[in-house]
Amino acid sequence: MVSVGSDPVGTDTETVAIPMAIKILIAGGFGAGKTTLVGSVSEITPLSTEEVMTEASLGVDELDGVEGKSTTTVALDFGRITINERVLLYLFGTPGQGRFWFMWDELAHGALGAVVLADTRRLQTCFPAVDYFERREIPFVVAVNCFDGTCAYTVDEVRDALNLCPEVPMVLADVRERESSKQALLALVEHVMSRRGTPVGG
């Protein structure tokens, strides 16, 4: 933690604590629930770049399994969570469509890690995100988004389908629920802590 003097001439000896800002990515396929997760857990009104889908997306965005989806993220989603006076989490939701993947390198710069949302209706759509973070050795967890409050598959079945390494944590989540979204984020923070052997913010 960094402290700076509150009075430049030294008449006030109190210090101002500057909290540690931690960047976390929320990734996954098109329609997996990234915007919903950021919105459910952010303590501020989230910044969203959701736009109404137009005819230009026909034949480009795969809608199988999410036929009712009418909007899409074209840049990023942004939210914030205060863990305590020392730690702030900044959440960046990535765009899911392949034509926006050129933005991922910029969004991933300086990130602590990522939560990859898996939609069991369209499990193949999260493969690129899993591959991206594995190749760059960025810590991540997989959160299986249970849209109807239940999951048709076990965690082990999803892990096998994604061919995940045993050390990658998996959790079940309903990202419409704040507490469930928080648990997915905490799973990532704990995963990073265990890899580093030191507490985040410590």
Side-chain angles (χ1 to χ4, degrees):
M1 181 174 64
V2 180
S3 295
V4 295
S6 58
D7 188 334
V9 297
T11 59
D12 187 347
T13 59
E14 293 184 2
T15 59
V16 177
I18 300 177
M20 175 183 292
I22 297 175
K23 183 179 185 180
I24 291 178
L25 299 186
I26 311 299
F30 176 60
K34 300 178 293 297
T35 299
T36 301
L37 186 153
V38 173
S40 74
V41 79
S42 177
E43 66 192 18
I44 62 173
T45 300
L47 167 67
S48 178
T49 57
E50 285 270 291
E51 296 291 344
V52 175
M53 296 174 65
T54 66
E55 291 183 359
S57 67
L58 295 177
V60 178
D61 295 328
E62 180 56 63
L63 294 176
D64 291 345
V66 288
E67 290 85 358
K69 187 171 175 59
S70 61
T71 61
T72 183
T73 298
V74 297
L76 58 88
D77 299 305
F78 174 78
R80 186 189 73 199
I81 305 172
T82 300
I83 299 299
N84 53 45
E85 64 181 10
R86 298 178 61 190
V87 182
L88 294 175
L89 298 185
Y90 290 109
L91 309 179
F92 290 80
T94 65
Q97 304 96 308
R99 67 183 187 276
F100 296 128
W101 287 347
F102 68 91
M103 301 176 60
W104 282 36
D105 285 342
E106 186 66 28
L107 290 174
H109 181 72
L112 179 80
V115 174
V116 175
L117 290 178
D119 179 354
T120 56
R121 302 169 303 177
R122 311 163 75 236
L123 196 57
Q124 74 281 1
T125 63
C126 75
F127 290 171
V130 169
D131 183 64
Y132 181 90
F133 297 119
E134 285 182 340
R135 288 179 179 273
R136 288 160 180 78
E137 298 184 346
I138 297 174
F140 70 98
V141 302
V142 173
V144 181
N145 194 3
C146 304
F147 288 89
D148 56 1
T150 61
C151 183
Y153 304 95
T154 67
V155 168
D156 288 339
E157 288 173 331
V158 177
R159 179 180 294 278
D160 289 343
L162 295 178
N163 194 28
L164 287 180
C165 297
E167 61 268 22
V168 175
M170 286 194 65
V171 297
L172 299 179
D174 183 341
V175 299
R176 298 168 298 184
E177 302 294 333
R178 177 178 175 84
E179 190 59 35
S180 187
S181 295
K182 285 174 60 178
Q183 291 304 313
L185 294 170
L186 285 173
L188 173 64
V189 173
E190 291 170 357
H191 177 49
V192 173
M193 289 170 59
S194 67
R195 281 170 54 110
R196 293 183 175 183
T198 55
V200 173

